[in-house]
């Protein structure tokens, strides 16, 4: 589920072509209606000893200002009878209302995020280099966020612009007489340093203060960011160990008298259930969660009182023991603004620390049956008007939903369409002579939804919808790989760095094989079953293979794909996708969801 970023290249952006366009766990309790006074100090003129601080958090918004379409816009909720219900959720008009409602009656309230606020964004935000999202986050009164890997999609200079403001260096200002102001909240990147100077790229931490209450926030992204971002995005940067970095700055905050500390970590885990209200502290604390965040949480100093996480797009509220064995809250709020987490931190004025035994937390659905925040509606309308000439242009027609992001299957219908589009566009000899195409699953950012998103009519795929599926504008590469390298690449889907969380490549028609999930490691790809157009892959033969530049650089742990030679650079992934839709669909004969029969899965 985790994002696999690539990079938007400013010189290739769509706008350049149109430059003239002016759980609920055992620990969960109902949130307090107000800051409760506990303990001592009720005499006249004395402040109460403890005060409840409300921490609201979310993660992995990815520029989803409008409600995400189709199954990618649902959250799963387990009902009392054990059935699971899908609830449509998300959209900043509703997120703003949810957060503002939650803050009522809480004089001490701070809002934090776990990274990937921008990047891999739908057209409404991505077309404008995510300026609309930063503007929306300012309006949401976000206090602080960690950087995620996607904040590096366009490189350090562009991240600095999002923080500090100023118009885009190539495309300039988007609205006449208006200069982009940047984020009015700090982006924290404690574990990202500049190679030349060794100094942090951005602030490592910030301290939130109110009426003598002080809470420090340390922000980090995953150490493996360079493996999942194109090389240009992380050029000149070094990414450090999350635990060591957080512990270092927790000591520094502690020396400065800041005893209450929250870590914002763009790395996450996988709960045993996808339902947001699953109790991941059952049967025991943290028993229902696995993944990288567990070891990270166990290594972070007890000086840190709570962990807000992200990256895996999962929902969980768990307690994982700290190194001293005490339970500590670890939370994540799904993705795309579909949930927010409400955590109560009881602050002791005498010790200046959080009373850990009193920490309570729960995830809440950002439902779409509440009132929309009118300021967010105005923001969306304003940017939609600027995007409309490009966004609303029809590209093709579909007969039903074609699921990509919303599909949990190894082989996704939309993955097949994308891989077929890449093969078809790059098969001609003068375009690269591709025989097979691979698409990374994390690069598919949405579903193609049959229901109209605007005035285009049901079944019409607009440019905006196609862009939302493929927002990176990655250039395609065709390379020579041997059959042996192809087999190794397929095995790397389920081994090495991808063993714990497999990344199943989407393959073009003609490539078939068996994926045996009852086995472990590389053996899960049954080598003898790999065929191209019915013929076994010949280890000694050279094949022409199409893939985006991210995979061709060995991204997502596919080192074998990075070994390609005789490279030809083709059109962008989005151009090939749109060309395929145009060639294979009409209003009278729309494209149907393809069969998913290329990968035989044994479970």
């Amino acid at each position: 589920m985790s994002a696999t970023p690539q990079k938007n290249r400013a010189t290739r952006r769509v706008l350049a072509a149109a430059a003239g366009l002016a759980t609920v766990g055992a620990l969960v309790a109902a949130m307090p209606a107000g800051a409760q006074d506990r303990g001592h100090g009720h005499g006249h003129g004395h402040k109460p000893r403890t005060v409840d601080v409300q921490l609201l958090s979310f993660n992995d918004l990815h520029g989803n200002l409008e409600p995400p379409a189709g199954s990618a816009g649902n959250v799963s909720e387990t009902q009392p009878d054990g059935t699971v219900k899908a609830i449509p959720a998300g959209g900043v008009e509703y997120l703003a209302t949810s957060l503002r409602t939650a803050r009522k009656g809480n004089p001490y309230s701070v809002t934090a995020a776990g990274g990937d606020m921008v990047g891999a964004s739908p057209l409404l935000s991505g077309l404008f280099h995510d300026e609309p999202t930063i503007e929306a986050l300012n309006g949401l009164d976000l206090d602080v966020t960690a950087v995620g890997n996607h904040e590096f999609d366009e490189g350090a200079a562009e991240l600095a612009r999002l923080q500090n403001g100023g118009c885009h260096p190539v495309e300039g200002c988007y609205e006449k007489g208006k200069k982009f102001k940047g984020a009015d909240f700090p982006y924290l990147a404690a574990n990202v340093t500049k190679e030349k100077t060794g100094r942090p790229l951005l602030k490592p931490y910030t301290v939130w203060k109110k009426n003598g209450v002080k809470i420090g926030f340390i922000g980090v992204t995953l150490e493996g960011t360079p493996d999942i971002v194109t090389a240009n995005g992380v050029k000149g940067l070094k990414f450090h160990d999350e635990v060591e970095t957080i512990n270092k700055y927790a000591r520094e905050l502690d020396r400065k008298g800041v005893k209450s500390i929250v870590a914002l970590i763009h790395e996450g885990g996988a709960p045993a259930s996808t339902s947001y209200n699953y109790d991941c502290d059952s049967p025991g604390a943290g028993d229902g969660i696995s993944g990288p965040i567990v070891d990270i949480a166990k290594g972070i100093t007890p000086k840190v009182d709570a962990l807000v996480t992200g990256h895996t797009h999962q929902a969980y509220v768990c307690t994982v023991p700290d190194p001293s064995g005490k339970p500590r809250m670890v939370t994540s709020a799904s993705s795309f603004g579909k949930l927010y987490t409400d955590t109560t931190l009881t602050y002791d004025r005498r010790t200046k620390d959080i009373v850990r035994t009193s920490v309570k937390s729960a995830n809440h659905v950002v439902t779409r049956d509440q009132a929309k925040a009118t300021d967010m509606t105005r923001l969306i309308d304003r940017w939609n008007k600027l995007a409309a000439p490009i966004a609303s242009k029809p590209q093709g027609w579909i007969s039903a939903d074609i699921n990509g992001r919303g599909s949990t299957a190894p082989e996704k219908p939309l993955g097949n369409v994308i891989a077929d589009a890449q093969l078809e566009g790059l098969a001609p000899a003068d375009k690269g002579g591709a025989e097979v195409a691979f698409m990374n699953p994390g690069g598919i950012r949405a579903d193609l939804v049959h229901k109209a998103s605007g005035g285009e009519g049901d079944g019409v795929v607009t440019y905006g919808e196609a862009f939302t599926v493929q927002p990176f504008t990655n250039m395609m590469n065709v390379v020579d790989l041997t059959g042996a390298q192809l087999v190794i690449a397929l095995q790397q889907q389920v081994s090495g760095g991808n063993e714990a969380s497999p990344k199943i490549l989407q393959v073009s028609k003609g490539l078939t094989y068996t994926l045996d999930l009852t086995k472990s490691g590389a053996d899960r790809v049954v080598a003898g079953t790999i065929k191209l157009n019915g013929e076994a892959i010949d280890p000694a033969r050279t094949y022409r293979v199409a893939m985006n530049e991210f995979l061709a650089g060995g991204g997502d742990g596919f080192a074998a794909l990075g070994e390609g030679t005789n490279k030809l650079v083709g059109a962008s992934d989005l151009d090939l996708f749109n060309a395929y839709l145009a060639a294979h669909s009409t209003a009278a004969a729309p494209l149907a969801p393809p069969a998913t029969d290329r990968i035989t899965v044994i479970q």
Side-chain angles (χ1 to χ4, degrees):
M1 289 292 288
S2 77
T4 41
Q6 298 97 343
K7 171 174 158 290
N8 293 326
R9 295 215 170 153
T11 50
R12 297 195 218 115
R13 290 316 289 252
V14 185
L15 209 60
L21 283 175
T23 84
V24 182
L27 288 163
V28 168
M31 292 301 109
Q36 292 179 13
D37 295 344
R38 295 200 188 113
H40 310 290
H42 288 282
H44 183 68
H46 290 286
K47 285 181 175 172
R49 172 155 173 189
T50 63
V51 59
D52 281 349
V53 177
Q54 178 189 55
L55 171 62
L56 300 176
S57 56
F58 57 97
N59 51 276
D60 296 276
L61 181 65
H62 290 288
N64 279 265
L65 301 180
E66 296 176 297
S71 54
N74 293 334
V75 294
S76 298
E77 181 182 74
T78 300
Q79 305 302 299
D81 64 0
T83 58
V84 177
K85 179 180 171 186
I87 303 173
V92 294
E93 294 160 298
Y94 303 112
L95 180 59
T97 299
S98 287
L99 294 176
R100 289 164 188 172
T101 303
R103 289 178 189 133
K104 283 177 184 164
N106 286 284
Y108 293 85
S109 184
V110 57
T111 303
D116 276 6
M117 295 295 99
V118 301
S121 305
L123 187 82
L124 176 60
S125 188
L127 189 60
F128 306 106
H129 294 276
D130 284 310
E131 288 181 23
T133 297
I134 297 296
E135 193 181 309
L137 292 169
N138 288 344
L140 288 174
D141 293 323
L142 182 63
D143 290 296
V144 58
T145 184
V147 294
N149 50 281
H150 277 276
E151 265 82 17
F152 295 95
D153 282 355
E154 294 188 54
E158 175 62 5
L159 173 55
R161 186 183 77 88
L162 291 180
Q163 176 72 83
N164 302 320
C167 297
H168 192 271
V170 176
E171 291 164 20
C173 300
Y174 296 113
E175 295 178 286
K176 203 173 177 181
K178 269 193 180 179
K179 187 180 170 188
F180 174 58
K181 290 176 182 165
D184 63 14
F185 51 89
Y187 260 112
L188 304 181
N191 66 329
V192 186
T193 57
K194 298 175 189 173
E195 278 178 355
K196 280 184 181 168
T197 64
R199 295 178 64 81
L201 176 69
L202 295 167
K203 284 173 68 166
Y205 59 79
T206 190
V207 180
W208 177 85
K209 299 172 185 169
K210 183 166 183 181
N211 297 343
V213 173
K214 289 194 289 192
I215 297 179
F217 288 89
I218 303 167
V220 297
T221 189
L222 70 157
E223 186 183 3
T225 291
D227 303 329
I228 53 174
V229 176
T230 50
N232 281 343
V234 293
K235 202 172 177 181
L237 302 176
K238 199 164 165 53
F239 291 76
H240 303 269
D241 181 84
E242 305 94 337
V243 174
E244 286 173 18
T245 304
I246 290 168
N247 289 352
K248 170 186 161 183
Y249 286 111
R251 286 193 298 272
E252 189 172 310
L253 282 167
D254 187 57
R255 282 198 303 271
K256 290 183 172 182
V258 179
K259 308 293 184 186
S260 298
I261 303 172
V262 175
L264 308 175
I265 307 172
H266 192 70
E267 178 60 291
S273 162
T274 55
S275 289
Y276 83 92
N277 57 340
Y278 163 68
D279 177 5
C280 63
D281 282 338
S282 175
D287 284 347
I289 188 166
S290 59
I293 200 61
V294 178
D295 285 340
I296 289 171
K298 286 177 178 172
I300 289 173
T301 171
K303 292 182 196 303
V304 174
D305 299 294
L307 278 54
V308 171
T309 73
H311 187 57
T312 58
H313 291 205
Q314 302 297 304
Y316 47 85
V317 173
C318 301
T319 52
V320 178
D322 70 15
S324 72
K326 288 183 182 153
R328 178 168 54 193
M329 196 61 76
V330 179
T331 69
S332 174
S334 183
S335 63
F336 302 171
K338 294 181 288 190
L339 297 177
Y340 71 92
T341 313
D342 191 335
T343 303
T344 304
L345 302 172
T346 300
Y347 181 91
D348 185 324
R349 290 181 188 275
R350 189 177 295 171
T351 63
K352 299 180 183 173
D353 208 347
I354 301 300
V355 183
R356 196 89 76 70
T357 52
S358 299
V359 175
K360 299 181 188 71
S361 190
N363 274 326
H364 300 278
V365 181
V366 177
T367 59
R368 298 183 198 167
D369 57 3
Q370 58 188 321
K372 293 180 180 182
T374 54
D375 57 330
M376 293 296 154
T377 304
R378 284 194 301 273
L379 182 151
I380 288 168
D381 289 348
R382 204 178 88 237
W383 288 102
N384 262 333
K385 280 193 183 76
L386 285 175
I390 295 171
S392 58
K393 198 175 170 196
Q395 302 299 309
W397 290 263
I398 56 174
S399 64
D401 288 1
I402 304 180
N403 284 344
R405 192 77 192 174
S407 167
T408 56
E411 181 184 349
K412 305 170 193 311
L414 190 50
N416 288 356
V417 173
I418 291 168
D420 289 351
Q422 294 175 354
L423 177 63
E424 183 170 295
L426 300 170
D430 62 335
K431 304 289 187 197
E435 299 168 82
V436 63
F438 292 129
M439 174 63 193
N440 54 309
I444 306 168
R445 304 305 301 184
D447 303 332
L448 279 185
V449 179
H450 185 263
K451 190 177 187 325
S453 60
E456 76 273 14
D458 289 351
V460 178
V461 179
T462 65
Y463 189 93
E465 290 164 339
F467 181 99
T468 297
V469 168
Q470 294 253 268
F472 298 108
T473 324
N474 262 318
M475 301 315 283
M476 292 300 300
N477 291 182
V478 186
V479 300
D480 283 351
L481 286 170
T482 65
Q485 287 170 316
L486 276 185
V487 172
I488 291 167
L490 290 172
Q491 290 172 333
Q492 284 171 344
Q493 301 176 109
V494 290
S495 62
N498 292 331
E499 179 157 8
S501 181
K503 291 191 172 75
I504 306 303
L505 294 165
Q506 306 299 287
V507 299
S508 55
K509 63 185 173 192
L511 187 80
T512 55
Y513 70 94
T514 296
L515 184 65
D516 188 348
L517 297 178
T518 65
K519 295 180 177 173
S520 63
D523 292 341
R524 287 186 266 190
V525 172
V526 184
T529 65
I530 305 171
K531 293 179 180 177
L532 184 60
N533 301 319
E535 289 186 16
I537 291 286
D538 179 352
R541 195 194 134 191
T542 297
Y543 295 84
R544 292 293 283 164
V545 184
M547 64 194 101
N548 60 44
E549 60 189 327
F550 170 67
L551 280 178
D556 262 356
F558 290 102
L561 297 181
E563 294 167 3
T565 57
N566 193 19
K567 178 168 79 174
L568 184 139
V569 178
S572 77
D573 49 10
L574 180 61
D575 286 346
L576 293 182
F577 185 47
N578 282 330
Y580 186 86
L581 291 171
H584 291 271
S585 68
T586 63
L591 181 71
T596 49
D597 53 6
R598 300 170 191 184
I599 305 171
T600 302
V601 181
I602 299 170
Q603 283 178 313

